[in-house]
Amino acid sequence: MSEIKTIVVNRSAYADNDLEANALRAYLKDRGVFVVNLMSSPGAGKTTTLTKLINVLKKDLRIGVMEADIDSDVDAISIAKNTGVKSIQLHTSGMCHLDAGMTKKGLDGINISDLDLVFLENVGNLVCPAEFDTGASMDIMILSIPEGDDKPLKYPLVFEKCDLVIINKIDALPYFDFDLEKCKKAIKIRNPNATIIPISAKTGENIDQVAIYFKEKIQNWKEK
Amino acid sequence: MSEIKTIVVNRSAYADNDLEANALRAYLKDRGVFVVNLMSSPGAGKTTTLTKLINVLKKDLRIGVMEADIDSDVDAISIAKNTGVKSIQLHTSGMCHLDAGMTKKGLDGINISDLDLVFLENVGNLVCPAEFDTGASMDIMILSIPEGDDKPLKYPLVFEKCDLVIINKIDALPYFDFDLEKCKKAIKIRNPNATIIPISAKTGENIDQVAIYFKEKIQNWKEK
């Protein structure tokens, strides 16, 4: 699996990222390709969650994955090996986030003509990725139990931006001081419209709920 | 404890951060104040580790803490309450890291004239803080077990920069697929001189080792 395609992406030449992001969203809508920007801290379980989720969704949707990292190709290789879907690695040249230009370069590289759904795994970072619109059709995030229930308080922007907050590693709840209800309330203060789904990517618990969420979301988006 | 002092810090006016960082290090050396820049992902356990460590070190050293966050004062309040040492909150105005100018502003705010050791808890982020020299006397980081043993592969710079890597939450080792020896090897590839100390901030395991490390480090620094 070492033949994973790697694309070096870095800061867009466009001064106005928001303009470029909106143009990219319109371009994707025209082509019927739904792109999900997935954000989290390092190690929250983005790749494991995507693997489990894709193995449910791939029966109904043609899926591609773009794995953004500062260095290494381990995630793209892992996704390709464990799901069989088209997967490429984006190297950000040290950059801590993706912008719309970088995302477009990645989408050109993966070739979206035969895809319905593309997951963009952003750089593991709760701060900077939230500040830059990637042009994706929607933003989602993963918060994991070991990180603590105070994160919505400390990293407000990413919680405000995400339509879906997945709370991962609930299998580890007995071993950590994490108050799930307190955390849900804190997320709702930041973003009253957020959907919150607690899961365990490790055991597969509630992955089916996330799959149903995406199928409905994509259906609504197509009908708009 | 709600009277915690909060200082808003943001990007330095100085173009050359490295110059300013070196000047700050010299200023601190003149005054005999050792400043430790502590980096990690969100939720790796920086505040809990500092609390346990300070309660050992405060018998021998006059300690201050500067807690940097985008928002909220919970960490500075927690440190003050649980250790009794001087603690202030730095708000970064949305910035994802600290630079030397921001650090200097914080040090002026905490008043270092009666301190031997200041811990600077950087913004929770494995990418950007590693790119900016804060002017601290040394850089250290915490990696936690739930984040995974592949992090030295994916976030190279922070591992290259840190003289001390604390591996936290070893009490959770039985519940996660984390290969401690593999991780230590990966850290040594990035930084052959790094000292690695596995701890549990929760149970207190090996906190005494970290305390001994700092006492020796500060002694050597004073004698230089």
Side-chain angles (χ1 to χ4, degrees):
Chain A
M1 296 304 307
S2 59
E3 73 280 17
I4 283 288
K5 184 172 179 178
T6 297
I7 298 173
V8 175
V9 292
N10 45 38
R11 198 189 296 274
S12 164
Y14 290 78
D16 192 334
N17 183 61
D18 288 347
L19 263 184
E20 201 178 2
N22 286 332
L24 179 55
R25 248 185 307 278
Y27 167 92
L28 292 166
K29 186 75 172 72
D30 281 349
R31 280 155 188 77
V33 182
F34 193 81
V35 175
V36 177
N37 173 35
L38 171 57
M39 296 176 277
S40 86
S41 295
K46 291 186 291 300
T47 310
T48 312
T49 302
L50 280 185
T51 301
K52 292 286 172 85
L53 182 62
I54 289 167
N55 281 329
V56 177
L57 288 173
K58 71 182 182 186
K59 292 188 284 286
D60 304 308
L61 296 161
R62 299 169 300 167
I63 300 172
V65 178
M66 306 197 294
E67 291 284 339
D69 262 308
I70 290 166
D71 204 358
S72 98
D73 301 328
V74 290
D75 288 345
I77 292 169
S78 163
I79 287 278
K81 185 177 152 196
N82 296 312
T83 68
V85 307
K86 192 155 68 165
S87 167
I88 64 169
Q89 187 73 45
L90 309 183
H91 278 175
T92 65
S93 312
M95 292 276 287
C96 52
H97 65 274
L98 293 174
D99 62 21
M102 295 155 84
T103 304
K104 178 67 166 61
K105 200 169 174 184
L107 289 166
D108 291 343
I110 199 170
N111 181 12
I112 59 171
S113 64
D114 58 353
L115 297 176
D116 304 306
L117 171 61
V118 176
F119 287 105
L120 169 60
E121 187 180 320
N122 214 312
V123 179
N125 181 336
L126 278 191
V127 188
C128 319
E131 293 169 4
F132 292 84
D133 190 340
T134 59
S137 317
M138 77 175 292
D139 295 312
I140 71 167
M141 70 172 292
I142 299 177
L143 172 69
S144 64
I145 298 298
E147 292 172 68
D149 52 30
D150 61 347
K151 293 300 162 288
L153 204 65
K154 297 173 74 176
Y155 301 90
L157 187 61
V158 68
F159 288 90
E160 285 163 16
K161 276 195 71 174
C162 286
D163 301 317
L164 171 66
V165 179
I166 294 171
I167 303 183
N168 190 24
K169 307 192 188 180
I170 56 168
D171 55 289
L173 267 172
Y175 317 115
F176 292 93
D177 301 323
F178 188 103
D179 185 332
L180 197 53
E181 292 313 310
K182 181 181 152 197
C183 185
K184 284 179 179 175
K185 274 185 201 160
I187 294 168
K188 289 287 187 182
I189 289 169
R190 294 296 182 195
N191 185 353
N193 299 319
T195 300
I196 303 168
I197 307 181
I199 70 159
S200 166
K202 192 176 180 179
T203 68
E205 190 176 349
N206 292 348
I207 289 289
D208 52 343
Q209 274 191 42
V210 182
I212 290 166
Y213 174 91
F214 276 112
K215 282 194 225 172
E216 288 178 0
K217 195 89 187 172
I218 294 168
Q219 195 55 43
N220 291 339
W221 174 79
K222 278 188 177 163
E223 287 165 5
K224 252 186 200 168
Chain B
M1 297 304 308
S2 59
E3 73 280 18
I4 280 290
K5 184 174 181 179
T6 297
I7 297 173
V8 176
V9 291
N10 46 37
R11 199 189 296 274
S12 164
Y14 290 76
D16 192 333
N17 184 61
D18 288 347
L19 264 184
E20 200 179 2
N22 287 331
L24 179 54
R25 247 185 308 278
Y27 167 91
L28 291 166
K29 186 74 172 72
D30 280 349
R31 280 153 188 80
V33 181
F34 193 81
V35 175
V36 177
N37 173 35
L38 170 58
M39 296 177 278
S40 85
S41 295
K46 291 187 289 303
T47 311
T48 312
T49 302
L50 280 185
T51 301
K52 293 287 174 88
L53 182 62
I54 289 167
N55 280 330
V56 178
L57 288 173
K58 72 182 181 186
K59 292 188 283 286
D60 304 308
L61 296 161
R62 298 169 301 168
I63 300 174
V65 178
M66 305 196 297
E67 291 284 339
D69 262 308
I70 290 167
D71 205 355
S72 98
D73 300 328
V74 289
D75 288 345
I77 293 169
S78 163
I79 287 278
K81 184 176 152 197
N82 296 312
T83 67
V85 306
K86 194 156 67 166
S87 168
I88 64 169
Q89 187 73 45
L90 308 184
H91 278 175
T92 65
S93 313
M95 292 277 287
C96 52
H97 65 273
L98 294 174
D99 62 20
M102 295 155 84
T103 305
K104 178 66 165 65
K105 200 169 173 184
L107 290 166
D108 290 344
I110 199 170
N111 181 12
I112 59 171
S113 64
D114 58 353
L115 297 176
D116 303 307
L117 170 62
V118 176
F119 287 106
L120 169 60
E121 188 180 317
N122 215 312
V123 180
N125 181 335
L126 278 192
V127 188
C128 319
E131 292 170 5
F132 292 84
D133 190 339
T134 59
S137 317
M138 77 174 294
D139 296 313
I140 72 167
M141 69 172 292
I142 298 177
L143 172 69
S144 65
I145 298 298
E147 292 173 65
D149 53 27
D150 61 346
K151 293 301 161 290
L153 205 64
K154 297 174 74 177
Y155 301 89
L157 187 61
V158 67
F159 288 90
E160 285 163 16
K161 276 195 70 172
C162 286
D163 301 317
L164 171 66
V165 180
I166 293 171
I167 303 183
N168 190 23
K169 307 191 188 180
I170 56 168
D171 54 289
L173 266 172
Y175 317 116
F176 292 92
D177 301 322
F178 189 103
D179 185 331
L180 196 55
E181 291 312 310
K182 182 179 152 199
C183 184
K184 283 181 180 176
K185 274 185 201 160
I187 293 167
K188 288 288 186 181
I189 288 168
R190 293 296 182 195
N191 185 353
N193 298 319
T195 299
I196 303 169
I197 307 180
I199 70 159
S200 166
K202 192 176 181 180
T203 68
E205 192 177 348
N206 292 348
I207 289 289
D208 52 343
Q209 274 190 44
V210 182
I212 290 166
Y213 174 90
F214 276 112
K215 281 194 227 174
E216 288 179 0
K217 195 88 186 173
I218 294 168
Q219 195 55 43
N220 291 339
W221 173 80
K222 278 188 176 165
E223 287 166 4
K224 252 187 200 167

